[in-house]
Amino acid sequence: MGLLMLGLVAGAVVPFQTAVNSRLRTYVISPFVSSLISFMVGTIFLIVIIVLSCGQLLLTNAQLHAIPWWMYLGGVLGMIGLTTNILLFPILGSVQTVIMPVLGQIMIIDNYGMFGTTRHPLSLMRMVGVLLLIVGVLIVVALPEYLARNSMKRPPEQRVKWKWLWQIFGVLVGGMLAIQAALNGRLGGLLQAPIHAALISFFIGTIMLFLVAVFQGTLKNIRLVVQQKTPWWVWIGGFFGAAYIFLNAYLVPQIGTGTVVVLVLLGQIISSLNIDQFGLLGSMKSSISVAKIAGLIIMIAGVGLIEVM
């Protein structure tokens, strides 16, 4: 039961991280600088946890030589995924920013078994799961837009031009985040130290974002956070991200990727519904309809069949 609750917590922190980092972006302007601050905070948090636990901060030469090169890609993919979510959040809202990547996660990781993950053949139950997932997404994404087509009170995020391109982009990013979770899970199992796997991922992401910010000339925007009157909570996105990466790396070797995916999705949906419903952390308030909740339940059932069966 404890591991299952940790899976829910791992999912629940993701929408909050995205909401916090999206608000941070309004102060530093650049989504890359917002991601950089989040990654730096997460890296520092993980280092402090390792030091306080009297653990070994640096890896040994034997551990470094045992790590395949492609396991280091988790940090790069995490950097891309986090920055993209910051862009998607104000356009698609909290719920769609969660569910669109789920499609990419299912299609890429499960169908192809990339980067050493287990490949799941398309069985009858998995086909039913895919069908339920598609129906759920249509109810959550397409139905509200269809009903609002002739309404004068269409939510602002539905007036975005080329919104479908952003949704497709969300699907592609979902595949990257799924690969990142799988890589970090395997790295944590290989090192027998999930927190070190999380630290490696965050450190690589921090270096990549630092280089991007230097190249763009936006690194100086970090001082804008200090100069302006910003809420204290804009700094904790990295804490949420570090907790998510660590919990994934810790849970995948113990309860399996499929179970973790289902629990994380459930946690993400619960917290994203609350963020949209109450407009938490400065996000745009969007009432949750009964149809949307029904669609999300259908999605969860579909993902459950896909991942567990």
Side-chain angles (χ1 to χ4, degrees):
M1 181 61 69
L3 293 177
L4 299 183
M5 288 301 299
L6 283 178
L8 291 175
V9 171
V13 300
V14 175
F16 282 101
Q17 179 198 20
T18 304
V20 169
N21 290 336
S22 296
R23 181 63 180 273
L24 179 60
R25 180 199 176 191
T26 63
Y27 296 104
V28 299
I29 304 173
S30 168
F32 294 101
V33 176
S34 176
S35 294
L36 173 60
I37 294 174
S38 182
F39 267 80
M40 287 193 301
V41 171
T43 300
I44 293 171
F45 169 73
L46 290 169
I47 290 175
V48 170
I49 293 299
I50 293 175
V51 171
L52 290 179
S53 63
C54 299
Q56 169 193 326
L57 181 59
L58 301 178
L59 299 179
T60 65
N61 288 331
Q63 287 175 313
L64 289 173
H65 285 103
I67 302 174
W69 67 268
W70 45 267
M71 282 192 179
Y72 291 107
L73 293 176
V76 179
L77 295 175
M79 176 268 290
I80 296 173
L82 176 62
T83 306
T84 303
N85 277 345
I86 293 173
L87 295 171
L88 293 178
F89 186 83
I91 297 174
L92 301 181
S94 180
V95 173
Q96 285 199 45
T97 303
V98 167
I99 66 175
M100 299 313 296
V102 170
L103 294 178
Q105 182 171 283
I106 299 300
M107 290 188 295
I108 295 179
I109 277 289
D110 284 354
N111 286 340
Y112 299 103
M114 297 176 66
F115 291 94
T117 58
T118 303
R119 184 177 185 273
H120 299 283
L122 191 61
S123 64
L124 177 60
M125 294 302 293
R126 286 175 58 79
M127 289 179 63
V128 173
V130 171
L131 180 61
L132 289 176
L133 181 62
I134 294 173
V135 171
V137 170
L138 288 176
I139 293 175
V140 175
V141 178
L143 182 60
E145 295 186 7
Y146 175 78
L147 295 177
R149 186 169 297 171
N150 298 320
S151 173
M152 297 299 293
K153 296 183 178 180
R154 182 178 299 181
E157 75 271 17
Q158 293 183 347
R159 293 197 294 265
V160 177
K161 291 183 178 180
W162 306 104
K163 184 178 178 182
W164 61 274
L165 281 178
W166 289 102
Q167 291 169 333
I168 292 175
F169 196 30
V171 173
L172 296 176
V173 168
M176 296 181 188
L177 293 176
I179 294 172
Q180 179 208 19
L183 289 176
N184 290 335
R186 291 204 64 192
L187 181 57
L190 178 65
L191 298 175
Q192 295 184 342
I195 196 166
H196 278 86
L199 177 59
I200 290 172
S201 180
F202 261 75
F203 181 74
I204 291 175
T206 300
I207 297 300
M208 295 296 296
L209 285 164
F210 178 81
L211 294 175
V212 170
V214 170
F215 178 78
Q216 287 187 326
T218 55
L219 188 61
K220 60 183 180 297
N221 290 12
I222 293 180
R223 70 172 185 266
L224 297 176
V225 186
V226 181
Q227 294 174 347
Q228 302 178 69
K229 294 182 179 179
T230 56
W232 64 268
W233 46 261
V234 299
W235 296 96
I236 64 175
F239 166 78
F240 289 136
Y244 170 73
I245 297 299
F246 167 69
L247 289 174
N248 265 278
Y250 174 72
L251 292 171
V252 166
Q254 298 200 54
I255 61 178
T257 303
T259 304
V260 171
V261 167
V262 175
L263 291 173
V264 166
L265 172 61
L266 183 57
Q268 286 179 326
I269 287 176
I270 292 173
S271 61
S272 64
L273 284 174
N274 282 279
I275 289 173
D276 272 7
Q277 180 68 29
F278 300 106
L280 302 178
L281 301 175
S283 63
M284 183 172 50
K285 189 175 181 179
S286 177
S287 298
I288 305 300
S289 64
V290 175
K292 182 174 288 188
I293 293 176
L296 292 171
I297 293 174
I298 293 173
M299 276 189 61
I300 293 171
V303 173
L305 288 176
I306 294 169
E307 293 292 344
V308 179
M309 294 298 173

